[in-house]
Amino acid sequence: MEGPQDYLTPTTPSGTAAFHGAGVQGIVAGAGSVRPAAHGAGVPDLVAGVRSLRPAATGAGLIDQIRGLEDLKSAAAAAQARLSIAFDHLERQRQAGAGVPAAEQGQGVAAQIALARRESPNRGSRYLGLARALVTEMPHTLTALDTGQLSEWRATLIAKETACLTAADRAAVDEELAPDTGTFHGAGNRTITTATKAAAYRLDPLSVTQRAARAANGRRVTLRPAPDTMTLLTALLPVAEGVAAYTALTREADTLKSTGDPRTRAQIMADTLVERITGTPGGITGITINLVMTDRTLLQADSEPARLPGYGTIPAGWARHLARHGTKTRNPDAAKLKTWIRRLYTAPSTGDIIAMDSKARLFPPALRRLIEVRDDTCRTPYCDAPIRHHDHVLPWHNGGPTTVENGAGLCEACNHTKELPGWNTTTTPPKPSTPIAPPQGRPRHHTQLTTPTGHTYHSTAPPPPGTQRIQRPPTPTAAPATIPTAIRRAKQQKFRGACRVELPTTG
């Protein structure tokens, strides 16, 4: 039976045990010789060697060092792939010994690798698939990566374009392309992708065709932040539907431009897209948009930025305009938005939200909203996925209370992962010496995640608007605001406040 060491045979000569003061080529050779911590030079020695590197005295020497460091990145990527598969093998052995059914073995492996690589569980899962393909099915591509002939991204492109093939056919494509023989010397990403696609199609045209047919199952719509309070709303569609949608937008833009519409063609297309999706000219109706801002920002023209869940930080002035007037629209009636203000009490300077209690097992709607406002995105370190589950940090069946302190917002994948054997999450205040601990007062909500290997990772709730404010002189031109009675009473409390503004529910 194969062991972890079987995956760790390097394609470059073994380096020395320490690399301090070594040149780039010596460090690159050392990266190929990385063994588990008990054998040979450790990863910390490699890192120390890179940090001790001194710039060359000539331009040619500097370019050689830059190229050498690029080779080092490739060699490190190859070593990381081997180590990942070795860890996968060990974890499966451990789970088999613990009586885990064969079909469930390997759960949690990708999540642990993702935490070690400081990336989301989704990316960790994709990376483990890449590592498995390179180490077990594509030796030529792995060797090309190890020797610096391919970057990690270009190795990913080759693996991606052969994902629809069987292991045997994938190995055949790898042997045909033979990237470790210099096949792709000087080739760009598009050239490599095209060559790999052609080789895969020649070997198994049916699988490639079926892959294209199955691609429609991956259709989706995503939203990503863009600079200056803009967003990128992206739809991945089958080609026919995508072309039809774009044609409809361009036709509408051409029609309106011919009637003298002063907007640009691109603006008309964007506005038309929003109107046809929401069903309202100018757009927003029957939809709730949450704005989190301080009462000072809303009512006293303060400059403290607000937060828009699902997007991020937005300027104070833009947040006030949205709360008071809605969005820009060609339809005056659509801009009349109903706005609700809910008071959120936070501890001074730390921003910790005051707890709400419930004896129910499921989090009530108000408590779920409070957790969403506090956590913003999934609380697993490095995972920025939207919150889908509101669950107990200490499980309810173990006596965990249904409180905001014992609650956490998680994506679906992370919530399932934390329930696996060996995973443990606790709420604990951060150490005063750590940068995540506030300088004074009660720390913000903090959790500690422990994996089956004993590694710990920490997560602190993001600071709400108004936390640790920088004192600035008042703006002379700030217009006085009329503070409603409820807000005035709330301002007299000893806790600093933050407003959650909901807009609108009707147009």
Side-chain angles (χ1 to χ4, degrees):
M1 185 175 181
E2 290 181 321
Q5 292 288 340
D6 297 317
Y7 299 114
L8 298 173
T9 303
T11 55
T12 54
S14 298
T16 60
F19 304 96
H20 186 79
V24 175
Q25 295 306 319
I27 299 173
V28 173
S33 68
V34 169
R35 289 288 196 279
H39 305 282
V43 175
D45 294 323
L46 286 170
V47 175
V50 173
R51 289 174 178 168
S52 67
L53 188 65
R54 295 293 179 265
T58 65
L62 290 171
I63 290 297
D64 289 340
Q65 286 182 320
I66 293 172
R67 174 57 186 268
L69 290 173
E70 200 64 28
D71 291 342
L72 174 62
K73 287 160 60 177
S74 296
Q80 193 177 54
R82 294 191 189 93
L83 294 174
S84 298
I85 297 307
F87 176 71
D88 180 43
H89 182 85
L90 281 176
E91 278 293 282
R92 289 176 181 273
Q93 281 187 330
R94 182 188 66 81
Q95 292 174 3
V100 177
E104 299 178 9
Q105 292 173 15
Q107 290 184 346
V109 172
Q112 293 186 70
I113 292 175
L115 287 168
R117 283 170 54 92
R118 300 173 184 168
E119 59 187 14
S120 69
N122 180 268
R123 291 184 64 87
S125 178
R126 284 185 287 172
Y127 172 77
L128 182 59
L130 168 66
R132 188 175 290 115
L134 292 176
V135 174
T136 64
E137 300 172 1
M138 309 181 76
H140 294 281
T141 302
L142 180 63
T143 301
L145 177 63
D146 204 6
T147 56
Q149 298 179 68
L150 286 177
S151 65
E152 185 177 26
W153 173 242
R154 288 175 178 168
T156 302
L157 292 177
I158 296 176
K160 178 182 177 182
E161 296 302 331
T162 56
C164 61
L165 304 178
T166 63
D169 287 344
R170 194 178 221 175
V173 171
D174 180 62
E175 186 172 359
E176 177 185 340
L177 296 176
D180 56 330
T181 62
T183 307
F184 294 131
H185 179 72
N189 295 344
R190 183 175 298 180
T191 301
I192 293 174
T193 300
T194 301
T196 307
K197 281 183 177 180
Y201 187 80
R202 285 194 300 269
L203 194 65
D204 190 353
L206 180 60
S207 293
V208 175
T209 303
Q210 290 176 340
R211 173 185 176 181
R214 291 193 301 268
N217 295 331
R219 61 191 183 276
R220 59 186 179 272
V221 177
T222 57
L223 184 70
R224 291 182 295 140
D228 303 322
T229 65
M230 302 292 284
T231 58
L232 294 171
L233 177 65
T234 305
L236 180 64
L237 301 171
V239 62
E241 285 83 346
V243 171
Y246 189 81
T247 301
L249 294 174
T250 56
R251 184 181 297 121
E252 178 69 9
D254 291 339
T255 301
L256 293 179
K257 286 296 289 183
S258 66
T259 62
D261 195 307
R263 294 174 295 169
T264 66
R265 192 166 179 269
Q267 290 171 344
I268 295 175
M269 292 175 66
D271 294 344
T272 302
L273 176 67
V274 173
E275 291 172 8
R276 292 188 177 180
I277 291 176
T278 62
T280 302
I284 304 175
T285 183
I287 306 296
T288 297
I289 297 178
N290 295 324
L291 273 176
V292 183
M293 67 178 78
T294 66
D295 50 1
R296 300 175 301 280
T297 295
L298 178 62
L299 302 169
Q300 298 177 352
D302 192 82
S303 60
E304 179 71 33
R307 192 174 74 200
L308 185 62
Y311 176 84
T313 301
I314 60 175
W318 190 87
R320 279 192 296 273
H321 176 82
L322 183 60
R324 293 172 179 170
H325 308 294
T327 58
K328 236 182 223 184
T329 172
R330 292 181 291 126
N331 184 347
D333 294 332
K336 296 177 181 177
L337 308 179
K338 292 185 178 179
T339 303
W340 287 263
I341 298 177
R342 293 184 177 175
R343 185 74 175 182
L344 300 178
Y345 291 99
T346 59
S349 77
T350 67
D352 189 49
I353 298 176
I354 303 307
M356 294 172 57
D357 197 5
S358 171
K359 295 182 179 180
R361 176 174 183 177
L362 298 179
F363 287 87
L367 201 53
R368 289 201 301 268
R369 287 196 297 266
L370 192 63
I371 291 174
E372 287 179 4
V373 170
R374 182 197 67 193
D375 294 345
D376 196 27
T377 59
C378 176
R379 282 292 298 278
T380 299
Y382 314 115
C383 182
D384 291 329
I387 294 174
R388 293 286 182 260
H389 290 184
H390 307 77
D391 206 357
H392 300 74
V393 177
L394 177 64
W396 185 83
H397 56 78
N398 289 341
T402 303
T403 63
V404 69
E405 181 68 23
N406 192 51
L410 298 168
C411 69
E412 183 175 357
C414 289
N415 193 34
H416 292 322
T417 298
K418 79 178 184 67
E419 300 297 331
L420 295 175
W423 292 76
N424 183 48
T425 307
T426 58
T427 56
T428 175
K431 297 178 180 179
S433 59
T434 60
I436 57 178
Q440 59 180 349
R442 186 171 180 264
R444 295 194 306 274
H445 188 262
H446 182 84
T447 60
Q448 176 178 290
L449 174 65
T450 305
T451 66
T453 59
H455 291 83
T456 58
Y457 302 88
H458 299 267
S459 172
T460 300
T467 304
Q468 298 179 355
R469 301 175 63 235
I470 299 175
Q471 297 297 330
R472 296 184 179 90
T475 305
T477 58
T482 301
I483 304 178
T485 304
I487 298 297
R488 186 184 301 113
R489 291 200 192 101
K491 285 177 67 64
Q492 296 171 355
Q493 302 296 325
K494 68 176 181 178
F495 295 108
R496 173 178 297 166
C499 299
R500 177 179 128 114
V501 181
E502 296 184 354
L503 59 141
T505 56
T506 57

